[in-house]
C-alpha cells in the first residue's frame, strides 16, 4: 500500500533492485528532493538513471558520475557510471525492439514524433532551464536550443512519410526495377556537451523516423537533457527498447568501442572532435557500418572592403560569441580587409565590452561560463600564444580566477602563425587578422585540414559567387552569421566529417536502398 501511494513519476526507481520498503521510500525521497532542486515545473523530467529496455536502471556496480553546474561548480546530481555490460544490454534491447518498430508504418512514426514535438513545446521552459543548468549557456540560449532541438523532431516526423523509392526503366523486356528504402537497424548515437539536446534530436529524429532503434551515449557533462528527451519520447508513445541511454565517463573507451564494433549495430553517428571521429571511424570500419561523423571546425569569417560593417559586426557577435564561443560552426578566424579593419575592430570591441558574464539563469547575464576548467585552460593558452606573437588585446583576455568564466575577448593584429588560427579555440575569443586581396584571404581561409563552415560579407554579387565556390567548407553563409536549421544539409568536408544531417536527404543516412528486380512480367 505504501509503494502504491508513491508518485508514478518515480515508481521506476523502485523496480531495479530488491530493496526494503523503508529503503525504497528513502530512495524515492532523495530522488524527489534532488529533482526539485533543479527548479523545474515538472521535476519528473529529471532522471538520475540510465534507460535500458524501458527501465530506468543504475550501473551494475552502483558507480556514479557527478554532474556539476559549470557556472557555480556545484553538484547538480549524479547519473550511473555504466560500462561494457550495460552497453551490451542496451544494444541487445535495441535489437529486440527493432523488428516491431521497423514494421510500424511511416504515418505511425510520424504521429509519435509529432507527439514528442508537442511535449517539447509544452515543457519549453523546463527543457531550456535544464540545458542552462548543466551546460551554462544563458536561459535565453537554453530555450533557443530547445526550439532548435524540437525542430528536428518536427522535421523528421514529416520526412518519415516521404521516404520515397523509385522505379528505374529496365534494359530488358518484361522486367521491372524497383528501389525501396528500409531502416538500417540499431544505431549508436554519440553526442557532445555544447548542444546537449539539439545534437541528440538531430540524430535521434532521423533514426526514429526511418524506423531504426537507438543506443545513446550522452556526454558526462550534460546527461540530463538526454534523459529528459528519452522520458518525453516514452510519454509520446515510443516503445520500450527503441531508445536506450547509457551514461559513462571513466568507461567511455570500452563503451564507445562496443557501440562501434558490435556486429548488432548497423550505423554509428557522432558529433565531436576530429581525433575522436577518426578513432570511431576506424572502429566502425571493422564491420563496414554506415557512419555519419560531424567533426571539428575552424571557421573563417571574412569581411571584405565593400561589406556592410554594421551587419558584419552584428553577425560576428552572434556567430562568434553564441554559447560563449562553444559551437562547432562559430567564427574562429576573423579576416578583415585592411581598408575597413580599424572600423570593424573598434565597433566589435565596443559591443563586446558591453557583455556581462554570469550565471545563465541571471536575466542580466549575456554570456555564461565555459564547460569546465580544461576549456578555460585551452582558451588561455590560445590568447597567451597570440599575445606572445604580437597580438593586442582590445577587450577581455583573462579567465575569471577560480571559475569557468573567461572574459569575452577581442584580439587585434593576430599573426597568421598564431595557435588560434591553427586550432579551434571553442571559447569567447575573436581573433582579427588583416588581409588585402581576395586571393590572399581565400588562401588563408583554406589553409586548414578541416572544413565545416565559412562566412563572408560582401555586396559584390560576382565576388559572392566566386568566394562561396572557392571556400573549402561544407557550408557557406553569405552576409549572415547563422547557418543551422533543421531544413538544411549540415556537415563538412576534409577532416570535418562524413555525411549530412538534417535537410531533405538527412533521413537517407539511416536507411538502406534495396533493389527489387521483377522478371517474367
Amino acid at each position: 500500500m505504501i509503494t502504491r501511494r508513491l508518485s508514478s513519476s518515480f515508481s521506476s526507481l523502485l523496480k531495479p533492485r530488491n530493496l526494503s520498503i523503508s529503503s525504497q521510500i528513502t530512495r524515492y525521497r532523495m530522488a524527489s528532493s534532488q529533482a526539485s532542486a533543479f527548479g523545474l515545473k515538472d521535476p519528473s523530467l529529471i532522471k538520475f538513471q540510465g534507460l535500458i529496455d524501458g527501465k530506468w536502471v543504475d550501473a551494475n556496480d552502483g558507480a556514479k558520475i557527478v554532474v556539476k553546474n559549470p557556472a557555480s561548480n556545484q553538484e547538480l546530481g549524479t547519473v550511473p557510471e555504466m560500462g561494457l555490460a550495460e552497453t551490451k544490454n542496451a544494444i541487445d534491447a535495441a535489437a529486440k525492439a527493432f523488428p516491431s518498430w521497423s514494421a510500424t508504418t511511416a504515418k505511425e512514426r510520424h504521429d509519435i514524433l509529432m507527439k514528442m514535438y508537442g511535449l517539447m513545446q509544452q515543457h519549453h521552459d523546463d527543457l531550456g532551464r535544464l540545458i542552462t543548468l548543466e551546460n551554462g549557456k544563458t536561459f535565453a540560449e537554453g530555450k533557443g536550443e530547445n526550439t532548435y532541438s524540437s525542430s528536428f523532431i518536427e522535421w523528421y516526423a514529416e520526412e518519415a512519410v516521404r521516404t520515397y523509392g523509385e522505379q528505374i526503366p529496365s534494359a530488358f523486356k518484361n522486367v521491372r526495377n524497383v528501389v525501396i528504402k528500409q531502416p538500417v537497424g540499431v544505431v549508436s548515437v554519440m553526442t557532445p556537451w555544447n548542444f546537449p539536446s539539439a545534437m541528440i534530436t538531430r540524430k535521434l529524429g532521423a533514426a526514429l523516423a526511418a524506423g531504426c532503434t537507438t543506443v545513446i551515449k550522452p556526454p558526462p557533462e550534460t546527461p540530463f537533457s538526454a534523459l529528459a528527451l528519452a522520458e518525453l519520447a516514452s510519454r509520446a508513445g515510443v516503445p520500450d527498447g527503441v531508445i536506450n541511454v547509457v551514461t559513462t565517463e571513466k568507461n567511455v573507451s570500452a563503451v564507445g568501442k562496443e557501440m562501434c564494433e558490435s556486429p548488432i549495430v548497423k550505423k554509428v553517428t557522432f558529433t565531436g572532435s576530429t581525433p575522436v571521429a577518426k578513432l570511431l571511424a576506424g572502429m566502425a570500419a571493422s564491420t563496414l557500418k554506415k557512419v555519419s561523423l560531424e567533426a571539428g571546425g575552424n571557421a573563417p569569417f571574412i569581411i571584405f572592403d565593400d561589406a556592410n560593417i554594421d551587419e558584419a559586426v552584428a553577425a560576428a557577435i552572434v556567430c562568434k560569441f553564441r554559447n560563449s564561443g562553444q559551437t562547432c560552426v562559430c567564427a574562429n578566424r576573423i579576416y578583415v580587409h585592411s581598408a575597413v579593419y580599424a572600423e570593424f575592430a573598434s565597433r566589435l570591441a565596443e559591443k563586446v565590452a558591453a557583455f556581462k558574464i554570469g550565471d545563465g539563469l541571471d536575466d542580466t547575464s549575456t554570456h555564461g561560463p565555459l564547460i569546465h576548467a580544461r576549456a578555460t585552460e585551452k582558451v588561455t593558452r590560445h590568447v597567451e600564444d597570440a599575445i606572445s606573437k604580437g597580438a593586442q588585446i582590445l577587450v577581455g583576455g583573462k579567465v575569471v580566477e577560480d571559475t569557468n568564466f573567461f572574459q569575452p575577448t577581442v584580439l587585434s593584429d593576430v599573426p597568421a602563425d598564431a595557435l588560434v588560427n591553427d586550432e579551434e579555440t571553442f571559447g569567447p575569443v575573436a581573433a582579427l587578422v588583416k588581409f588585402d586581396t581576395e586571393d590572399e584571404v581565400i588562401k588563408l581561409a583554406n589553409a586548414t585540414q578541416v572544413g565545416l563552415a565559412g562566412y563572408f560579407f560582401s555586396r559584390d554579387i560576382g565576388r559572392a559567387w566566386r568566394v562561396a565556390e572557392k571556400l573549402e567548407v561544407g557550408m557557406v553563409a553569405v552576409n549572415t552569421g547563422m547557418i543551422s536549421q533543421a531544413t538544411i544539409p549540415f556537415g563538412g568536408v576534409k577532416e570535418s566529417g562524413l555525411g549530412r544531417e538534417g535537410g531533405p536527404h538527412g533521413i537517407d543516412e539511416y536507411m538502406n536502398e534495396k533493389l527489387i528486380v521483377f522478371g517474367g512480367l
Side-chain angles (χ1 to χ4, degrees):
M1 292 298 294
I2 295 176
T3 56
R4 291 177 186 171
R5 291 196 295 268
L6 297 179
S7 167
S8 60
S9 300
F10 295 96
S11 60
S12 61
L13 295 172
L14 310 182
K15 296 177 182 178
R17 307 199 185 280
N18 295 321
L19 303 174
S20 67
I21 293 297
S22 60
S23 296
Q24 291 175 5
I25 294 173
T26 299
R27 183 177 179 182
Y28 162 75
R29 287 174 176 168
M30 289 177 61
S32 180
S33 176
Q34 281 184 298
S36 297
F38 282 73
L40 271 57
K41 298 172 186 175
D42 182 358
S44 65
L45 289 174
I46 305 298
K47 300 297 180 184
F48 300 101
Q49 297 170 293
L51 181 64
I52 298 178
D53 201 14
K55 298 178 179 64
W56 296 103
V57 296
D58 292 319
N60 290 348
D61 62 2
K64 301 287 186 181
I65 302 167
V66 176
V67 183
K68 293 184 178 181
N69 180 336
S72 64
N73 274 324
Q74 297 298 308
E75 180 179 330
L76 283 172
T78 62
V79 293
E81 177 66 82
M82 293 177 161
L84 182 60
E86 296 91 333
T87 304
K88 288 182 175 181
N89 290 340
I91 292 171
D92 288 343
K96 184 178 69 173
F98 177 70
S100 58
W101 178 247
S102 61
T104 58
T105 67
K107 179 62 166 59
E108 288 172 326
R109 297 194 295 275
H110 163 277
D111 291 349
I112 289 174
L113 285 170
M114 286 306 296
K115 287 179 183 177
M116 182 177 174
Y117 168 75
L119 288 170
M120 292 182 71
Q121 297 300 300
Q122 178 184 334
H123 296 282
H124 179 65
D125 285 357
D126 275 357
L127 295 174
R129 182 181 178 89
L130 187 52
I131 291 168
T132 294
L133 285 168
E134 62 179 353
N135 169 274
K137 63 182 64 175
T138 65
F139 190 30
E141 285 194 71
K143 290 187 288 186
E145 180 177 343
N146 182 61
T147 297
Y148 179 45
S149 180
S150 63
S151 74
F152 285 105
I153 300 300
E154 180 187 34
W155 173 259
Y156 281 117
E158 295 164 344
E159 288 295 288
V161 296
R162 295 180 177 85
T163 51
Y164 306 128
E166 60 183 337
Q167 180 180 332
I168 302 173
S170 173
F172 309 104
K173 291 182 179 180
N174 304 322
V175 170
R176 299 293 183 271
N177 300 318
V178 177
V179 176
I180 64 172
K181 296 180 180 180
Q182 296 179 307
V184 297
V186 176
V187 177
S188 289
V189 177
M190 289 172 273
T191 60
W193 48 260
N194 59 331
F195 286 88
S197 178
M199 294 303 96
I200 289 176
T201 58
R202 179 188 279 174
K203 305 169 190 301
L204 180 65
L208 296 183
C212 298
T213 55
T214 60
V215 177
I216 301 170
K217 189 209 75 63
E221 297 90 347
T222 59
F224 291 116
S225 291
L227 296 167
L229 289 172
E231 167 65 13
L232 290 181
S234 178
R235 295 182 193 181
V238 175
D240 292 351
V242 172
I243 298 174
N244 304 274
V245 183
V246 175
T247 54
T248 188
E249 183 176 33
K250 295 178 181 178
N251 300 317
V252 65
S253 295
V255 169
K257 188 173 187 291
E258 183 65 18
M259 290 178 71
C260 290
E261 293 186 351
S262 169
I264 299 173
V265 174
K266 303 303 180 185
K267 157 87 179 182
V268 173
T269 177
F270 166 79
T271 295
S273 71
T274 295
V276 174
K278 290 178 179 180
L279 286 173
L280 299 181
M283 294 175 188
S286 65
T287 52
L288 292 182
K289 291 177 173 58
K290 293 190 76 165
V291 295
S292 296
L293 304 170
E294 191 246 293
N298 188 356
F301 190 103
I302 305 167
I303 299 95
F304 286 100
D305 55 345
D306 63 337
N308 182 311
I309 300 302
D310 288 336
E311 291 179 358
V313 169
I317 288 172
V318 172
C319 182
K320 171 69 258 185
F321 293 99
R322 182 164 59 109
N323 195 19
S324 295
Q326 299 174 113
T327 75
C328 55
V329 293
C330 76
N332 198 62
R333 300 166 291 152
I334 302 180
Y335 299 109
V336 189
H337 192 279
S338 57
V340 295
Y341 188 90
E343 180 183 5
F344 178 86
S346 63
R347 290 195 191 183
L348 180 65
E350 181 182 4
K351 295 288 187 182
V352 173
F355 291 168
K356 180 186 175 183
I357 56 176
D359 191 312
L361 294 178
D362 183 339
D363 291 340
T364 65
S365 299
T366 61
H367 294 79
L370 301 188
I371 190 66
H372 43 48
R374 296 191 303 279
T376 61
E377 289 166 4
K378 181 179 183 181
V379 176
T380 299
R381 179 164 51 87
H382 278 199
V383 170
E384 290 178 347
D385 172 80
I387 293 171
S388 72
K389 294 173 179 175
Q392 303 295 315
I393 298 176
L394 299 184
V395 178
K398 294 182 179 180
V399 64
V400 179
E401 190 174 356
D402 296 325
T403 74
N404 295 323
F405 290 92
F406 197 97
Q407 297 171 344
T409 300
V410 179
L411 300 177
S412 68
D413 304 313
V414 177
D417 64 345
L419 197 57
V420 70
N421 289 323
D422 187 52
E423 295 180 357
E424 188 176 25
T425 303
F426 235 60
V429 178
L432 308 187
V433 181
K434 192 178 297 184
F435 75 93
D436 289 305
T437 69
E438 183 179 309
D439 288 342
E440 174 195 2
V441 77
I442 290 173
K443 184 177 180 180
L444 288 169
N446 290 339
T448 175
Q449 293 303 310
V450 295
L452 188 57
Y455 308 79
F456 70 90
F457 279 73
S458 173
R459 287 176 284 190
D460 182 327
I461 188 64
R463 172 180 283 157
W465 278 107
R466 287 194 307 272
V467 176
E469 291 180 353
K470 289 180 180 179
L471 287 178
E472 296 172 356
V473 295
M475 302 172 287
V476 178
V478 185
N479 294 325
T480 178
M482 296 293 290
I483 286 178
S484 301
Q485 310 156 55
T487 57
I488 55 98
F490 190 103
V493 298
K494 298 196 285 191
E495 293 187 12
S496 281
L498 303 168
R500 292 295 182 268
E501 296 180 311
H505 306 295
I507 196 170
D508 292 341
E509 301 275 352
Y510 297 82
M511 306 192 85
N512 290 322
E513 284 191 339
K514 176 181 284 185
L515 169 66
I516 305 174
V517 179
F518 290 93
L521 301 178

